[in-house]
Amino acid sequence: VAFKLDSALQHLLWSTYFGGSTKDCANALRLDGSGGIYCVGTTDSHNFPTTTGSAAPAYLGGGLDCFITHINSNGSVLLSSSYVGTAGNDLGYLLALDNDKNIFIYSLFTSGSSSLFSPTPGAYDAPNGRNIVYKLTADLSQILVKSRFGTPIFNPTSSFLAAASFGVDSCGNIYIAGDATANFPTTPNAIKQNTNNNADLYFCVLTKNAAALSYGSYYGGIKSEWATWGICKVSESGILYYSFNGNSSTPVSSNAYASSNMPADPGNTY
């Protein structure tokens, strides 16, 4: 269900169902600049509503597909809708728009042969990576960019990125942030090259059209940090703002409002 409330949260302006006949899960929503909404998520419905001329109007295969749907400003028209992914399992998690209204999706390819995914020419590609970035036209008719990064296996305990934020700045750079296990790519200028506890914050930057990995770093102390319960935002100028669950070993700046963790609390917000 998608719905809109007035600014005082007193009146329901519109509400609509959308989806197929089995399980559908919406994970992220963004405004299109004209009052309409884009929504991304995961479905196992083979009859999820799609539109003629979309990038993938038919179910792509596997047990789960990512979907992207565009609904008009009063919830009365399905403007465009498409499956996105491979013939394996694809989970649609996060969504962003650039200044030209192109659509960016962060997805996880969780099962199936890595050969099912083929990056677009010129896009950054970590062979066998399971973390996927897609760029689509505003009308969802064409996938412009497909890029993958990360580790070759999907395992929630040994190889996993739980992305908490996904954004595109005014120059087209793509930002992904969350908490991660070991083996994610870092760059020579990283704040922290490796995780020493298999549970640190992680963030990376892909250049315009995902052409290259320009930055990748872990962040945290000798204990675990979790962004899953935090908030992360990227400004149009490329500044990353992070609020997350930290601990007594999480590094802080010299002018910090609070330079130490509360003694009785094992995990403060940072």
Side-chain angles (χ1 to χ4, degrees):
V1 175
F3 64 91
K4 180 180 180 180
L5 301 173
D6 70 348
S7 58
L9 308 182
Q10 298 293 315
H11 301 287
L12 181 68
L13 301 179
W14 60 261
S15 180
T16 183
Y17 288 103
F18 69 100
S21 60
T22 52
K23 297 176 182 177
D24 311 297
C25 177
N27 290 320
L29 181 148
R30 290 288 183 271
L31 297 175
D32 65 2
S34 302
I37 60 168
Y38 287 98
C39 184
V40 72
T42 306
T43 182
D44 66 1
S45 297
H46 288 222
N47 62 345
F48 190 91
T50 59
T51 49
T52 302
S54 66
Y59 195 76
L60 294 167
L64 298 166
D65 268 359
C66 170
F67 71 81
I68 174 71
T69 296
H70 188 195
I71 298 172
N72 75 335
S73 59
N74 63 12
S76 63
V77 179
L78 189 71
L79 298 174
S80 53
S81 185
S82 180
Y83 291 104
V84 180
T86 69
N89 281 3
D90 302 278
L91 312 181
Y93 274 113
L94 298 173
L95 175 64
L97 278 69
D98 66 10
N99 290 341
D100 296 322
K101 304 297 190 260
N102 294 306
I103 311 303
F104 293 77
I105 297 171
Y106 169 76
S107 172
L108 282 177
F109 174 45
T110 62
S111 69
S113 168
S114 61
S115 63
L116 296 175
F117 179 87
S118 56
T120 48
Y124 175 78
D125 183 42
N128 303 320
R130 297 282 174 165
N131 302 272
I132 311 298
V133 173
Y134 294 97
K135 178 182 178 181
L136 293 87
T137 53
D139 62 1
L140 309 183
S141 65
Q142 185 180 0
I143 295 178
L144 302 173
V145 174
K146 295 190 293 181
S147 173
R148 61 184 166 184
F149 69 98
T151 59
I153 58 173
F154 172 81
N155 186 312
T157 59
S158 64
S159 181
F160 182 64
L161 170 65
S165 184
F166 181 60
V168 182
D169 68 16
S170 57
C171 297
N173 297 305
I174 304 162
Y175 296 74
I176 305 112
D179 50 74
T181 53
N183 303 316
F184 278 83
T186 57
T187 49
N189 58 342
I191 296 173
K192 187 177 182 180
Q193 291 287 344
N194 299 291
T195 176
N196 50 6
N197 50 39
N198 214 32
D200 269 334
L201 303 183
Y202 176 78
F203 41 92
C204 68
V205 183
L206 297 170
T207 58
K208 186 175 182 179
N209 291 323
L213 179 73
S214 64
Y215 187 78
S217 180
Y218 288 98
Y219 181 81
I222 60 174
K223 299 179 182 179
S224 298
E225 284 84 13
W226 300 101
T228 309
W229 299 285
I231 299 171
C232 180
K233 297 295 181 184
V234 178
S235 72
E236 285 195 0
S237 59
I239 299 174
L240 187 70
Y241 298 87
Y242 229 142
S243 173
F244 58 91
N245 188 269
N247 56 72
S248 59
S249 71
T250 302
V252 295
S253 58
S254 59
N255 61 343
Y257 164 71
S259 59
S260 62
N261 197 15
M262 295 295 101
D265 189 350
N268 280 169
T269 299
Y270 280 74

